[in-house]
Amino acid sequence: MTTLTFYTHPFSRSRVTRWMLEETGLPYDEVVLDFATTMKAPEYLAVNPMGKVPALRHDGVVVTENAAICLHLAELAPEKGLLPPPGSPERGACYRWVLFAAGPLEAFITARRHGALAPSTEAGYGNEADLMRTLEGALAGRTHLVGERFTVADLYMAALLGYYMRIGELAPTPWFEAYAGLHLQRPAAQRANARDDALVAARAESA
């Protein structure tokens, strides 16, 4: 039987992985870490030398990076249809949008937030106008990024859009709100948020 161990913190990108785990329905063990202590301890650095979460241990093999974890989990639960069929054009499109969100979109918003935008000719995210036009073009009038059903691409994109709109880093356009709002109401997303919110509450009570 597959053994999955999920390393997490409720105030981190791990919330995306948690949602993906809930979508797959796969059983997993949870290890909750603290940023300044256990996440930087030798025991965890042996799991992820970056000292960051999320990380997933699958039968002794470690997978890090949110996008990689989500794609891997989608492949572990093929019956859920979270990835289009292998070799299909839609599978390639799904990879495209997961990695667009994890790469250009996240890198641009992080750089802009900290006043460190690179020249558009050097940065993978190009410039803001091109990035936003690409994103809006992908979502305008659509319920799903790929095909006619929910995939890991929708999960990843909706999670990021919801977060960035909530903290004011993305304008809540009608397309963004409609798209993210729909997917964030999925039962798996609600279960994942409930678990992480409970962890937050427990930490506040013990502080």
Side-chain angles (χ1 to χ4, degrees):
M1 179 178 290
T2 294
T3 300
L4 299 174
T5 303
F6 171 46
Y7 299 88
T8 184
H9 187 286
F11 284 135
S12 74
R13 293 174 176 86
S14 298
R15 281 182 174 252
V16 182
T17 289
R18 170 93 66 188
W19 179 6
M20 189 64 192
L21 281 162
E22 292 297 326
E23 288 285 351
T24 67
L26 294 167
Y28 62 93
D29 298 321
E30 152 189 297
V31 178
V32 182
L33 302 169
D34 287 310
F35 287 116
T37 56
T38 49
M39 212 176 290
K40 304 301 181 183
E43 293 80 5
Y44 184 64
L45 293 178
V47 175
N48 183 3
M50 290 288 288
K52 289 181 172 291
V53 291
L56 185 77
R57 189 190 295 274
H58 175 191
D59 289 346
V61 175
V62 173
V63 184
T64 66
E65 314 316 312
N66 234 345
I69 295 170
C70 288
L71 290 167
H72 180 61
L73 289 170
E75 291 186 340
L76 291 181
E79 72 281 1
K80 299 294 184 178
L82 295 165
L83 273 174
S88 68
E90 290 78 15
R91 173 76 74 111
C94 199
Y95 290 151
R96 173 195 179 186
W97 291 114
V98 170
L99 297 178
F100 176 87
L105 179 59
E106 187 167 1
F108 170 77
I109 291 179
T110 301
R112 184 183 64 183
R113 183 177 176 86
H114 295 282
L117 286 173
S120 61
T121 53
E122 296 181 18
Y125 48 73
N127 60 55
E128 182 171 6
D130 290 343
L131 186 76
M132 290 299 111
R133 185 175 65 252
T134 301
L135 184 58
E136 290 170 0
L139 298 179
R142 295 186 61 83
T143 302
H144 302 101
L145 278 165
V146 181
E148 300 301 325
R149 64 174 296 165
F150 180 82
T151 67
V152 61
D154 294 312
L155 183 151
Y156 208 96
M157 187 67 78
L160 262 64
L161 292 182
Y163 173 68
Y164 287 141
M165 286 190 290
R166 189 167 66 251
I167 66 172
E169 288 295 333
L170 271 182
T173 70
W175 296 128
F176 291 172
E177 286 193 310
Y179 172 83
L182 173 69
H183 298 307
L184 289 168
Q185 293 304 310
R186 290 178 63 85
Q190 297 292 302
R191 290 195 303 272
N193 278 328
R195 174 56 186 158
D196 281 320
D197 290 346
L199 288 174
V200 172
R203 285 165 175 264
E205 290 174 1
S206 63

